[in-house]
Amino acid sequence: GVAENPMVKSVLDKTKHSVETMITTLDPGMIPYIKTGGELDIVVTSNKEVKVAAIRDAFQEVFGMAVVTGEAAQSNIAPQPVGYAAGLKGAQERIDSLRRTGVIHEKQPAVSVENFIEELLPEKWFDIGCLIIEDPVHGIHLEAFTQATPVPLQYVQQAKNLTPQDYSLRWSGLLVTVGEVLEKSILNVSRTDWHVVFTGMSRRQMIYSAAKALAGMYKQHLPPRTV
């Protein structure tokens, strides 16, 4: 019963906090391990570190503790989605496919990310990431979007030209992604993170910002926790 003593508990909490602070100062990479736990258990519909790590960081920042893991999932739409509707559909299908195949439980809260391109201004195209969270138990379904990254028109045209007119998934987008075109066209550019070359901001940072907003909205929608 000693630990129940408020004075002792305060000392224990402070000790725990100072140990965590010391560990995370020495090795910032330990933060996800220390913050993994608690009641929140989220599955990301991807095993790509850029998505999983960004979403984990965001949810642990907002909730203090959270278990966030990744599972690879198919979107069943064109590799380069075009338009908001296609981006949303791709993100949703990744969740649906994991539930359908039994990889995740029907009640498992899931977060999904899908990047798409959109012509926001005449002949000015942008790449945007759509993030959704689906929590069937609490009936929560929320969307957030990353900042828009400009894509020079010539690269969008190339992706369009490389997509056959009779491509079966043409309704949802293009066969070739702008990332693939950029990787071939510009030296030292990776198809997975070309954003940093154009804006100085990495895709992980963009996903993190949007995921933090998503986590904040999710927290507001959850019922108050009983202590």
Side-chain angles (χ1 to χ4, degrees):
V2 177
E4 298 304 313
N5 179 318
M7 175 72 190
V8 175
K9 188 170 183 337
S10 165
V11 171
L12 288 174
D13 285 349
K14 281 187 183 139
T15 307
K16 180 173 181 289
H17 179 72
S18 61
V19 169
E20 283 184 15
T21 307
M22 186 182 76
I23 291 171
T24 54
T25 306
L26 291 173
D27 182 5
M30 282 299 292
I31 293 171
Y33 298 100
I34 288 171
K35 290 191 169 183
T36 292
E39 293 167 30
L40 193 66
D41 179 8
I42 301 276
V43 167
V44 179
T45 63
S46 170
N47 57 0
K48 294 193 174 89
E49 186 62 11
V50 63
K51 294 181 180 178
V52 181
I55 292 162
R56 182 186 293 125
D57 288 352
F59 273 79
Q60 289 180 347
E61 177 96 4
V62 171
F63 284 91
M65 292 185 93
V67 179
V68 180
T69 49
E71 292 285 351
Q74 296 303 310
S75 69
N76 302 320
I77 62 167
Q80 177 58 74
V82 176
Y84 279 88
L88 275 164
K89 186 169 176 57
Q92 184 63 50
E93 282 207 1
R94 289 181 193 276
I95 295 176
D96 295 346
S97 74
L98 287 184
R99 294 205 199 285
R100 207 168 38 242
T101 52
V103 175
I104 63 172
H105 194 269
E106 58 186 26
K107 292 181 176 176
Q108 170 71 49
V111 174
S112 195
V113 184
E114 188 76 59
N115 275 62
F116 61 94
I117 55 170
E118 177 72 283
E119 191 176 13
L120 295 178
L121 299 162
E123 299 212 319
K124 289 198 172 181
W125 287 81
F126 294 81
D127 172 88
I128 301 163
C130 165
L131 282 76
I132 59 175
I133 185 164
E134 184 181 272
D135 177 345
V137 173
H138 296 102
I140 297 170
H141 197 292
L142 300 164
E143 301 87 16
F145 296 91
T146 66
Q147 68 186 63
T149 303
V151 184
L153 182 61
Q154 71 215 61
Y155 302 119
V156 177
Q157 292 291 8
Q158 278 185 51
K160 284 182 176 177
N161 295 341
L162 290 165
T163 302
Q165 284 297 324
D166 59 353
Y167 175 51
S168 61
L169 296 172
R170 185 94 198 203
W171 58 270
S172 63
L174 309 173
L175 177 61
V176 178
T177 68
V178 291
E180 288 173 272
V181 173
L182 290 166
E183 191 175 70
K184 288 196 180 81
S185 311
I186 306 171
L187 203 64
N188 299 327
V189 166
S190 153
R191 71 179 66 182
T192 54
D193 198 1
W194 52 267
H195 305 70
V196 72
V197 176
F198 284 89
T199 63
M201 205 171 160
S202 71
R203 185 161 176 232
R204 177 171 168 166
Q205 285 174 296
M206 294 183 193
I207 293 172
Y208 167 78
S209 295
K212 196 168 171 190
L214 192 71
M217 293 190 295
Y218 179 52
K219 192 174 185 180
Q220 288 177 9
H221 281 74
L222 283 171
R225 289 167 107 164
T226 48
V227 180

